[in-house]
């Protein structure tokens, strides 16, 4: 893709990561396990193939070609010469099969290609973005959505998703916060493993695809929230915050990992042997293969790390990058590196073995082709639309509902739907929707019109337009609509028309937020304001005195502090995907009840970032919310927060025991009571705090949760199991994983501000 040719110049100093690695974690080696009969057959098959392969053919398997990038050698020739093991960005099943036939029929060893794509939140049917999916606090839903995405992708022959993105992100300025599950390692781990299960199921089933866990590791800690900027992360934070979702994904059987772009503590992730070998393979026992990120092998030179392209190829391969994405340094230099001895032959064999094994497990050696006709049945099928609609319903978060302004009564006569995102298809889909189609997408305006039919007069006005101001890397493939309000007069008139509609309507739904290109890769921001004139529009609408509901479509928490005091109804819909407009209409009119909870602490302004609830106590804990003299340091909405149309209390916390032995469990039981006349969901969240130990531990940490449905008037008990293992942490004092004995606080409630409290002790 042309946009990929744009580079930012990097100059970084290097440091000896390895030394740090040696000082850090205890590397627990995995117990060898007896191979299953299938593994035995696979090893025999792959060993046999490896014996027949030349060095160049092996390096071909380690090379991935980006389909639409400019190329001097045709793809057909590359495949015939066995110089490509994988392609990315081919989505047409006929073209996939054509290329696959060349690989299988016209090469010496008949090794099939592996086709990969960014199936991040759907393939053709676009699901809510991952930050939204995490807001569902519903791992089963997340698993199902990725299974549905796998069905669509596999129907065209794409058998490898560059997802899940499991980077913890604690700074909303970072555009890629929308691609992950937010700030918390426990929630992030549950979402990571659910996604791996959803994509892969049992690897080899024809409707499943390989997961690629990315970006290993620490990408979310980009300095200042600036995408691609360096991450400087202490060992304590790496092991306790940034690694856990990766480890959970690995433990769930993820077949592949992707190395990150940035320097981690001074060493680029794609040349980082400590990450890719010591942690991933030695410590965690990962058996799959690692792909670089886009050109990150050649970027080892750009980073000021490798001296030459040949050095970059050698450092990446030795560090543990098994396949190179897009750049061609492996193809161009790896053979020379092997001959010169800078890369051991064994390193090549190990890399190729893991790639061939992945292809074998997928079943590509027996059935390499997309099934003709399957895509037509699967893509945007009724089942897909249904799943996407439910996902969007369950991932929206109700932030405010004063005087029960929501749900909207269907008995009204006139409804204004206003805002730059109210009727924008690409912006409803969100980033990583490259195989999605605008025409499939239901905007909020479409959804509301379909919901109310002719019973309510629905009037639409854009009010204002918003623009990013500079190009997005996705513009060439996937642009938001260009502005149509060109002159100042046009803009003034559009603004006035919108406010006139507010004045003459019974109620207004304002749909504000960010264009799809304003969150995502290379979409960092210095402020969290509503872009453009949206705040002005919102305040003018409120000044009419008419009832206003704000729907947010965006990929990160925004500064809505004024709205949180003046706008009675606020629904965070994130980028909700293909069925977003229908789902939002369901929620606005009460045909679905909001139950999502924030997977991030919601700041008042960008100046509070990075902001997260699991901070340590400090010496004046009572001052926690007053750490700035010019603004509160408390979040606007805490992590785990979200309202419902139902009122479901959580009370009467009881523990099964007040002593927790190592490897034991405690059951925490609470009573839920739905005191309203609306059926709804409540998420029961369990937090702990270690009072003293070998290190200071966060004031609260999520250690369990469950989203449950409670009928109107119903009372029911819910039990969350706390595992002693989940209290273990990597102690910076002892530099190993510890379960410190002593007293712990435990809270259960409906957010990280939970008040039901108990204590227990961990004792050997
Ligand atoms: C992104 C990855 C993505 C890859 C292929 C990179 O720029 O960082 O997340 O998988 O491109 O599209």
């Amino acid at each position: 893709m042309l946009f990929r040719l744009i580079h930012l110049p990097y100059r970084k100093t290097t440091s000896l990561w390895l030394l740090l690695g040696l000082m850090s974690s205890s590397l627990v080696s995995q117990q060898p396990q007896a191979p299953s009969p299938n593994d035995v057959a696979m090893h025999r098959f792959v060993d046999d193939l490896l014996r027949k392969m030349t060095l160049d053919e092996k390096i071909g398997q380690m090379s991935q070609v980006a389909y639409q990038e400019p190329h001097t050698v045709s793809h057909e020739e590359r495949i015939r010469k066995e110089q490509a093991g994988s392609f990315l960005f081919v989505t047409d099943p006929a073209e996939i099969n054509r290329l696959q036939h060349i690989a299988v029929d016209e090469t010496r060893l008949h090794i099939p290609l592996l086709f990969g794509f960014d199936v991040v939140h759907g393939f053709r049917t676009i699901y809510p973005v991952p930050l939204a999916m995490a807001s569902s606090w519903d791992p089963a839903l997340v698993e199902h959505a990725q299974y549905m995405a796998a069905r669509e992708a596999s129907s065209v022959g794409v058998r490898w998703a560059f997802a899940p993105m499991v980077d913890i992100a604690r700074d909303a300025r970072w555009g890629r916060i929308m691609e992950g599950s937010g700030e918390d390692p426990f929630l992030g781990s549950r979402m990571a493993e659910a996604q791996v299960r959803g994509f892969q199921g049992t690897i080899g089933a024809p409707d499943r695809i390989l997961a690629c866990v990315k970006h290993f590791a620490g990408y979310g800690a980009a300095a200042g929230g600036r995408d691609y900027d360096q991450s400087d992360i202490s060992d304590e934070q790496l092991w306790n915050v940034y690694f856990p979702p990766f480890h959970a994904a690995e433990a769930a059987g993820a077949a592949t990992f992707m190395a990150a772009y940035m320097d981690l503590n001074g060493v680029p992730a794609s040349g980082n042997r400590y990450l890719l070998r010591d942690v991933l393979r030695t410590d965690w026992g990962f058996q799959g293969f690692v792909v670089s990120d886009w050109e990150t092998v050649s970027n080892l030179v750009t980073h000021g790390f490798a001296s030459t392209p040949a050095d970059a190829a050698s450092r990446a391969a030795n560090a543990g990058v098994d396949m190179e994405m897009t750049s061609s340094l492996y193809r161009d230099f790896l053979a020379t590196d092997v001959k010169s001895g800078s890369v051991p032959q064994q390193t090549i064999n190990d890399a190729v073995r893991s790639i061939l094994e992945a292809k074998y497990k997928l079943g590509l050696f027996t059935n390499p082709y997309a099934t003709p006709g399957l895509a037509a049945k699967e893509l945007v099928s009724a089942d897909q639309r249904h799943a996407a609609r439910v996902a969007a319903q369950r991932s929206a978060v109700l932030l405010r509902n004063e005087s029960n302004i929501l749900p909207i009564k269907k008995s009204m006569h006139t409804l204004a739907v206003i805002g730059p995102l109210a009727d924008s298809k690409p912006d409803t889909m969100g980033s990583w929707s490259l195989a999605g189609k605008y025409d499939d997408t239901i905007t909020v305006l479409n959804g509301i019109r379909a919901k109310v039919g002719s019973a309510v007069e629905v009037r639409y006005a854009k009010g204002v337009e918003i623009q990013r101001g500079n190009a997005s890397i996705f513009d060439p493939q996937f642009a938001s609509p260009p502005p149509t309000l060109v002159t100042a007069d046009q803009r003034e008139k559009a603004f006035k028309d919108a406010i006139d509609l507010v004045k003459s309507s019974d109620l207004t739904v304002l749909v504000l937020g960010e264009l799809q290109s304003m969150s995502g890769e290379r979409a960092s921001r210095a402020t969290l304001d509503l872009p453009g004139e949206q705040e002005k529009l919102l305040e003018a609408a409120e000044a009419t005195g008419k009832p206003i509901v704000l729907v947010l479509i965006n990929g990160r928490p925004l500064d809505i502090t004024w709205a949180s005091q003046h706008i009675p109804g606020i629904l965070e819909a994130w980028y909700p995907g293909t069925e977003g407009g229908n789902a939002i209409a369901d929620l606005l009119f009460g045909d679905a009840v909001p139950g999502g909870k924030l997977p991030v602490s919601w700041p008042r302004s960008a100046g509070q970032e990075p902001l997260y609830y699991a901070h340590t106590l400090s010496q004046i804990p009572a001052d926690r919310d007053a750490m700035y003299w010019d603004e509160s340091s408390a979040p606007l909405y805490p992590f785990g927060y979200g309202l419902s149309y139902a009122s479901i209390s959580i009370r009467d916390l009881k523990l099964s025991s007040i002593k927790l032995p190592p490897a034991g469990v405690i059951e925490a039981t609470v009573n839920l009571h739905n005191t309203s006349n609306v059926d709804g969901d409540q998420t029961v969240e369990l937090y702990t705090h270690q009072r003293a130990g070998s290190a200071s531990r966060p004031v609260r940490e999520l250690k369990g949760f469950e989203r449950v449905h409670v009928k109107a008037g119903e009372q029911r008990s819910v039990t969350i199991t706390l595992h002693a293992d989940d209290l273990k942490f990597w102690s910076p004092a002892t530099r190993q994983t510890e379960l410190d004995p002593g007293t712990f606080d435990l809270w259960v409630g409906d957010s990280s501000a939970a008040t039901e409290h108990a204590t227990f002790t961990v004792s050997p």
Side-chain angles (χ1 to χ4, degrees):
M1 283 197 239
L2 277 178
F3 68 84
R4 299 297 182 171
L5 299 177
I6 313 161
H7 293 283
L8 290 177
Y10 286 99
R11 292 283 176 269
K12 297 274 157 55
T13 52
T14 58
S15 72
L16 282 179
W17 179 269
L18 195 60
L19 267 184
L20 200 61
L22 289 174
M23 294 185 322
S24 65
S25 104
S26 62
L27 300 180
V28 186
S29 48
Q30 299 273 312
Q31 293 298 316
Q33 284 183 348
S36 73
N38 281 347
D39 285 350
V40 173
M42 176 177 76
H43 292 148
R44 198 175 303 128
F45 178 87
V46 169
D47 283 346
D48 190 44
L49 203 46
L50 267 174
R51 263 193 300 276
K52 293 181 192 149
M53 291 172 84
T54 64
L55 179 59
D56 284 342
E57 285 165 346
K58 289 176 185 169
I59 292 169
Q61 287 302 308
M62 296 171 70
S63 305
Q64 185 186 58
V65 176
Y67 183 67
Q68 54 275 71
E69 288 295 286
H71 40 278
T72 45
V73 174
S74 73
H75 294 327
E76 293 79 1
E77 198 181 333
R78 278 267 178 259
I79 300 170
R80 284 191 191 101
K81 288 184 171 162
E82 308 207 42
Q83 291 179 340
S86 170
F87 273 77
L88 74 159
F89 292 140
V90 202
T91 53
D92 172 13
E95 179 64 354
I96 285 181
N97 281 354
R98 186 182 75 83
L99 297 177
Q100 193 68 294
H101 269 292
I102 300 175
V104 173
D105 303 338
E106 300 179 37
T107 62
R108 191 175 79 88
L109 295 169
H110 316 291
I111 301 175
L113 296 161
L114 175 57
F115 292 91
F117 191 76
D118 287 284
V119 189
V120 177
H121 51 108
F123 179 71
R124 167 76 178 270
T125 306
I126 304 302
Y127 286 72
V129 295
L131 191 64
M133 295 301 285
S135 305
S136 73
W137 291 59
D138 185 350
L141 176 93
V142 170
E143 180 175 339
H144 184 65
Q146 297 302 34
Y147 164 58
M148 296 302 279
R151 270 171 54 172
E152 281 196 341
S154 59
S155 77
V156 305
V158 166
R159 300 301 304 280
W160 185 20
F162 301 128
M165 193 281 226
V166 306
D167 294 308
I168 293 295
R170 297 181 152 190
D171 189 333
R173 293 172 297 177
W174 189 52
R176 300 194 82 169
I177 192 171
M178 76 87 203
E179 251 183 89
S181 296
E183 74 182 49
D184 186 72
F186 187 88
L187 180 65
S189 297
R190 303 295 77 79
M191 294 299 161
E193 60 203 17
Q195 292 188 73
V196 170
R197 288 194 302 265
F199 285 129
Q200 296 189 166
T202 305
I203 299 180
D207 58 355
R208 300 289 184 153
I209 62 182
L210 299 182
C212 181
V213 187
K214 68 189 189 184
H215 308 82
F216 198 54
Y219 186 27
R226 294 176 294 269
D227 200 13
Y228 309 151
D229 213 337
Q230 68 200 55
S231 294
D232 292 297
I233 308 178
S234 68
D235 282 353
E236 188 279 319
Q237 290 280 294
L238 258 185
W239 284 95
N240 294 324
V241 177
Y242 291 91
F243 279 163
F246 286 97
H247 197 181
E250 194 284 326
T256 75
F257 265 60
M258 185 185 291
Y261 274 123
M262 77 304 139
D263 291 302
L264 175 64
N265 298 341
V267 178
S270 293
N272 201 316
R273 192 187 178 100
Y274 168 71
L275 281 177
L276 302 177
R277 293 209 186 276
D278 297 352
V279 174
L280 184 60
R281 292 202 183 271
T282 311
D283 202 7
W284 297 351
F286 177 65
Q287 305 271 325
F289 75 87
V290 173
V291 64
S292 76
D293 201 345
W294 192 276
E295 295 185 345
T296 55
V297 175
S298 61
N299 282 342
L300 294 182
V301 178
T302 322
H303 280 239
F305 179 69
S307 55
T308 60
D311 185 34
S314 135
R315 292 223 207 174
N318 287 332
V321 173
D322 303 307
M323 183 183 280
E324 178 183 17
M325 181 188 280
T326 314
S327 51
S328 61
L329 303 197
Y330 279 9
R331 213 163 47 221
D332 299 339
F333 299 102
L334 217 44
T336 318
D337 287 339
V338 171
K339 281 168 200 146
S340 75
S342 72
V343 176
Q345 178 72 52
Q346 186 61 40
T347 301
I348 304 291
N349 284 346
D350 290 348
V352 178
R353 177 177 287 107
S354 58
I355 293 165
L356 294 176
E357 285 184 2
K359 292 183 175 184
Y360 182 97
K361 286 182 192 159
L362 257 184
L364 287 180
F365 284 100
T366 45
N367 184 12
Y369 304 110
T371 309
L374 183 57
K377 287 191 208 126
E378 190 58 59
L379 302 181
V380 274
S381 66
D383 281 356
Q384 291 283 351
R385 281 194 175 278
H386 175 73
R389 185 167 178 162
V390 172
Q393 289 168 352
R394 290 179 73 78
S395 51
V397 184
L398 182 63
L399 296 176
R400 194 165 194 243
N401 196 19
E402 286 303 295
S403 316
N404 292 332
I405 186 170
L406 290 171
I408 302 170
K409 291 160 201 60
K410 288 178 189 151
S411 56
M412 72 176 47
H413 299 295
T414 49
L415 178 72
V417 179
I418 288 178
L421 303 172
D423 195 30
S424 169
K425 290 177 185 263
D427 302 316
T428 303
M429 293 155 76
S431 196
W432 290 126
S433 301
L434 297 172
K437 295 263 186 294
Y438 298 167
D439 285 350
D440 298 337
T441 305
I442 312 292
T443 65
V444 176
L445 180 65
N446 303 149
I448 288 180
R449 286 213 157 116
K451 168 82 51 195
V452 298
S454 56
V456 180
E457 187 188 335
V458 177
R459 298 115 151 236
Y460 162 71
K462 204 186 250 183
V464 298
E465 280 177 339
I466 50 177
Q467 276 180 280
R468 199 177 116 134
N470 66 353
S472 151
I473 54 168
F474 293 105
D475 284 346
Q477 285 78 28
F478 183 66
S480 298
T484 55
L485 306 173
V486 184
T487 65
D489 282 354
Q490 286 171 332
R491 287 194 287 271
E492 211 172 293
K493 180 170 181 313
F495 194 97
K496 184 174 172 307
D497 288 349
I499 298 304
D500 286 347
L501 273 194
V502 176
K503 286 182 190 155
S504 61
S505 301
D506 296 337
L507 185 139
T508 294
V509 175
L510 266 166
V511 189
L512 307 181
E514 298 180 306
L515 303 179
Q516 56 79 20
S517 62
M518 289 176 170
S519 279
E521 187 169 349
R522 277 220 219 162
S524 293
R525 297 187 61 194
T527 80
L528 299 175
D529 302 347
L530 281 164
E533 302 284 283
Q534 294 183 99
E535 181 79 26
K536 205 168 135 198
L537 183 71
L538 181 65
E539 295 188 16
E542 192 269 349
T544 64
K546 289 288 199 164
I548 308 284
V549 169
L550 170 62
V551 173
L552 290 169
I553 290 191
N554 55 317
R556 53 157 69 80
L558 295 171
D559 178 349
I560 54 161
T561 303
W562 183 89
S564 74
Q565 293 153 1
H566 297 92
I567 303 296
I570 306 178
L571 182 71
E572 173 55 86
W574 309 111
Y575 295 115
T578 302
E579 279 289 319
N582 281 332
I584 292 169
D586 294 338
L587 291 160
L588 290 177
F589 288 91
D591 293 335
V593 176
K597 301 275 184 176
L598 292 175
V600 282
S601 302
W602 193 290
R604 292 160 196 274
S605 71
Q608 291 181 313
E609 296 290 350
L611 183 70
Y612 45 94
Y613 79 96
H615 51 76
T616 52
L617 278 160
S618 83
Q619 74 265 38
I620 316 179
D623 263 10
R624 187 71 218 173
D625 295 349
M627 294 176 98
Y628 302 118
W629 61 258
D630 57 349
E631 182 173 60
S632 162
S633 46
L636 183 63
Y637 300 113
F639 174 83
Y641 167 88
L643 304 173
S644 165
Y645 301 152
S647 300
I648 305 169
S649 60
I650 301 178
R651 299 246 159 76
D652 308 327
L653 169 63
K654 288 194 184 55
L655 302 189
S656 57
S657 164
I658 54 163
K659 291 215 181 312
L660 179 58
V665 299
I666 284 182
E667 292 186 334
T669 301
V670 282
N671 284 326
L672 270 59
H673 186 187
N674 185 342
T675 52
S676 69
N677 57 6
V678 181
D679 298 351
D681 287 4
Q682 180 60 284
T683 299
V684 181
E685 306 171 26
L686 184 152
Y687 296 84
T688 61
H689 167 63
Q690 172 178 313
R691 287 196 179 167
S694 61
S696 319
R697 299 299 300 144
V699 59
R700 285 183 185 205
E701 293 178 277
L702 183 71
K703 294 296 176 190
F705 63 88
E706 192 177 342
R707 180 171 175 163
V708 290
H709 189 67
V710 192
K711 289 201 165 16
E714 185 188 349
Q715 295 200 45
R716 59 175 286 194
S717 70
V718 172
T719 298
I720 310 270
T721 304
L722 172 69
H723 298 261
D725 268 359
D726 285 331
L727 299 177
K728 288 183 177 162
F729 70 103
W730 188 90
S731 171
T734 62
R735 306 196 70 80
Q736 62 185 9
T737 301
E738 300 288 359
L739 175 64
D740 282 345
T743 305
F744 285 71
D745 294 292
L746 181 152
W747 294 266
V748 178
D750 61 0
S751 79
S752 54
T755 50
E756 286 291 308
H757 178 250
T759 59
F760 66 91
T761 54
V762 169
S763 48

